[in-house]
Amino acid sequence: MVTQSALLHMFFLLSLAVAPPSNATTTTKPGCQSSCGNVEIPYPFGIGPNCSKNSHFNIHCDTSFNPPKPYLSFANVSLSLEVVNISKSQIHVKNSELQLARTCYGMWFYSNMKNYSIHLNFDSTPYTLSDANQLTVVGCDDMAMAQQISDIIDENGGFGCLPYCRKSRDGVGKCPGVGCCQTSISKTDALKVELVDMLTIWGKDKKDFRCSFAFVGMIGKLGNIKFKLSDLNDPRAFGKNNKEFLDRPLVLDWRIDPFSNCTKTSCGKHSSCINMVVGNGGYHCKCNEGYEGNPYLRSGCQDIDECHNNPCDSRGICRNSLGSYSCHCSYGYYGDGKKNGTGCIPVPVSHSKVTIGVGLGSGIGLLLLLSTCFWLLQVSQEGKK
Ligand SMILES: *[C@@H]1O[C@H](CO)[C@@H](O)[C@H](O)[C@H]1NC(C)=O
Ligand SMILES: *[C@@H]1O[C@H](CO)[C@@H](O)[C@H](O)[C@H]1NC(C)=O
Ligand SMILES: *[C@@H]1O[C@H](CO)[C@@H](O)[C@H](O)[C@H]1NC(C)=O
Ligand SMILES: *[C@@H]1O[C@H](CO)[C@@H](O)[C@H](O)[C@H]1NC(C)=O
Ligand SMILES: *[C@@H]1O[C@H](CO)[C@@H](O)[C@H](O)[C@H]1NC(C)=O
Ligand SMILES: *[C@@H]1O[C@H](CO)[C@@H](O)[C@H](O)[C@H]1NC(C)=O
């Protein structure tokens, strides 16, 4: 018995090693590249116009890098964003130049340092800036003013924050805290951030450090970012020493076809279409329960073979069916057969060879009573020996 189960176990491990991964279902249109470098590119995204759903989901795979890097760009918006990863409803992208604004008082020698504002505009695209982003402002006396065109509340008004610091003894800035403030951003189609020089308010003598930075990116761990305040006098040093601020991707929510609703042909086989009720509409596709795959492809979703990771009791037999599965207990056992459920419970049999037929519907209390009797009988027989 032991060797048999060991063999079975080995066979199981071997079959795991040989079997293709369970998500080997196609994620792209036939004949299309499924990844660029280390990044998976699932449909509706695609590398090249014949592989994506439409131009908004077109990914350019730049093979001049090793490994190659995927980029998302827009036809008439001069945004080129490196793709970090793509998930079911979000895409992480980055372009540290576009995400950053900086201003340096009196630094005439940095004549190209005039990027004191950030403009991110995803209007008329399937993308919106997710509320998983935040605005971080680093500096000692400049204020960042932000405005967003929300697709939920139009003209959401302005917001912003003002970092403040004095020449601290240890010269250390903390985020948020000394020389750094952070503020959340709600879901929006477009965001505009401007660094406003407060020199006229504070006075030149209070200008302890010359530069200020504003950065829009994914919310990170708070309270554990430190930086040298003296770097605020040197934008290049600040950029080099503070990758925590400047390397955070932007989180974008995506959906199909803003300004339209689900139709019968919107999603693939065995999937359902979900209208976005807020904002400018659009929709998502989702595999039906018990199916997996890419619901955006016409071929849609495929049945999950639940029995692959046997969800049944060791005394049960698994049977896969379309969209579902069932467990059947072997002869002499009863129950729903699921590891997750009651499993397979031995049907108690009395010694006097009287078979007690127990249907699934019988009360567990009766069974408990019977098995207790059985146990008592055994104990008393042991005692007699
Ligand atoms: C896209 O498909 C069309 C029609 O099948 C073909 O003519 C064209 O060459 C394809 N373009 C690319 C970039 O593969
Ligand atoms: C892009 O072009 C379309 C049509 O030409 C226009 O309606 C849309 O406003 C443009 N988007 C931006 C952000 O300029
Ligand atoms: C995508 O990238 C971000 C940041 O690099 C990471 O936090 C997130 O977990 C990633 N998501 C997936 C689905 O890999
Ligand atoms: C920032 O400045 C550089 C150099 O002048 C320019 O190439 C870049 O487009 C600017 N970025 C933005 C967001 O204006
Ligand atoms: C989508 O459906 C909503 C609610 O049924 C409706 O108000 C809206 O006009 C529809 N939009 C389009 C583009 O059909
Ligand atoms: C167990 O059952 C619950 C509810 O029926 C389900 O949500 C859960 O995913 C199951 N767990 C496993 C390991 O099958």
Side-chain angles (χ1 to χ4, degrees):
M1 262 333 256
V2 172
T3 45
Q4 199 185 354
S5 85
L7 276 172
L8 268 174
H9 195 69
M10 269 180 67
F11 177 74
F12 182 63
L13 285 178
L14 277 173
S15 64
L16 265 189
V18 172
S22 65
N23 61 352
T25 49
T26 46
T27 58
T28 60
K29 269 170 96 168
C32 292
Q33 212 175 311
S34 67
S35 61
C36 174
N38 303 320
V39 185
E40 296 279 325
I41 313 289
Y43 190 77
F45 295 87
I47 300 164
N50 285 359
C51 288
S52 60
K53 187 168 175 80
N54 60 48
S55 64
H56 288 305
F57 295 106
N58 208 350
I59 303 284
H60 168 65
C61 187
D62 191 336
T63 51
S64 67
F65 293 97
N66 186 16
K69 287 183 181 179
Y71 287 88
L72 181 64
S73 50
F74 300 93
N76 59 349
V77 186
S78 61
L79 288 178
S80 181
L81 302 158
E82 186 189 332
V83 178
V84 177
N85 63 37
I86 301 172
S87 67
K88 277 187 177 127
S89 60
Q90 291 187 325
I91 177 168
H92 286 71
V93 293
K94 65 181 180 183
N95 180 330
S96 49
E97 199 60 45
L98 286 172
Q99 290 169 259
L100 180 72
R102 56 209 150 175
T103 179
C104 293
Y105 169 73
M107 298 195 109
W108 52 269
F109 45 90
Y110 282 120
S111 52
N112 62 344
M113 294 291 301
K114 292 212 177 86
N115 305 54
Y116 57 84
S117 62
I118 299 169
H119 293 272
L120 295 167
N121 190 349
F122 299 100
D123 199 16
S124 316
T125 74
Y127 305 94
T128 48
L129 210 53
S130 151
D131 57 7
N133 296 297
Q134 67 185 354
L135 170 65
T136 301
V137 187
V138 182
C140 283
D141 41 22
D142 290 323
M143 181 171 64
M145 288 285 295
Q147 261 195 319
Q148 60 187 56
I149 309 162
S150 171
D151 63 3
I152 298 162
I153 309 154
D154 265 358
E155 302 297 334
N156 207 10
F159 63 101
C161 73
L162 191 153
Y164 185 76
C165 63
R166 302 270 61 207
K167 265 192 173 126
S168 70
R169 225 174 276 159
D170 59 358
V172 174
K174 289 194 199 81
C175 217
V178 184
C180 174
C181 64
Q182 288 175 311
T183 181
S184 58
I185 298 166
S186 46
K187 194 173 161 76
T188 183
D189 277 351
L191 178 75
K192 192 169 134 187
V193 179
E194 225 160 88
L195 280 167
V196 182
D197 199 332
M198 303 295 279
L199 180 70
T200 48
I201 296 169
W202 303 122
K204 199 170 165 182
D205 53 323
K206 296 258 171 73
K207 199 94 187 168
D208 290 336
F209 299 99
R210 287 173 145 178
C211 302
S212 300
F213 304 85
F215 186 77
V216 179
M218 189 174 93
I219 294 173
K221 273 186 251 161
L222 297 176
N224 59 355
I225 300 174
K226 292 187 177 176
F227 58 96
K228 276 194 276 181
L229 285 174
S230 59
D231 281 351
L232 291 177
N233 278 330
D234 182 350
R236 281 175 197 166
F238 184 82
K240 225 171 84 192
N241 298 336
N242 297 284
K243 298 251 188 264
E244 300 96 320
F245 297 121
L246 314 178
D247 255 1
R248 288 191 174 282
L250 271 181
V251 187
L252 307 181
D253 293 328
W254 63 266
R255 78 268 201 212
I256 309 281
D257 296 347
F259 306 108
S260 70
N261 287 333
C262 290
T263 65
K264 274 181 190 159
T265 54
S266 298
C267 300
K269 274 186 196 155
H270 303 300
S271 71
S272 35
C273 186
I274 301 149
N275 276 320
M276 301 285 99
V277 283
V278 288
N280 292 330
Y283 57 85
H284 279 151
C285 297
K286 190 172 165 276
C287 284
N288 292 339
E289 184 92 16
Y291 288 83
E292 67 185 356
N294 189 330
Y296 295 97
L297 286 169
R298 213 167 283 167
S299 57
C301 307
Q302 291 78 41
D303 174 51
I304 299 173
D305 181 7
E306 287 89 354
C307 295
H308 185 76
N309 303 309
N310 188 9
C312 300
D313 189 294
S314 58
R315 291 161 298 196
I317 296 150
C318 187
R319 272 192 211 127
N320 182 49
S321 58
L322 286 182
S324 185
Y325 72 98
S326 59
C327 296
H328 300 278
C329 290
S330 332
Y331 182 73
Y333 296 92
Y334 78 100
D336 69 5
K338 292 180 183 171
K339 270 182 199 153
N340 204 2
T342 66
C344 290
I345 305 162
V347 174
V349 179
S350 91
H351 260 177
S352 58
K353 299 222 163 98
V354 175
T355 319
I356 303 164
V358 184
L360 279 180
S362 298
I364 286 176
L366 175 66
L367 284 163
L368 278 176
L369 192 71
L370 281 170
S371 47
T372 311
C373 290
F374 179 56
W375 180 73
L376 281 174
L377 192 71
Q378 270 193 322
V379 168
S380 68
Q381 276 177 342
E382 296 285 342
K384 278 178 203 160
K385 276 180 193 169

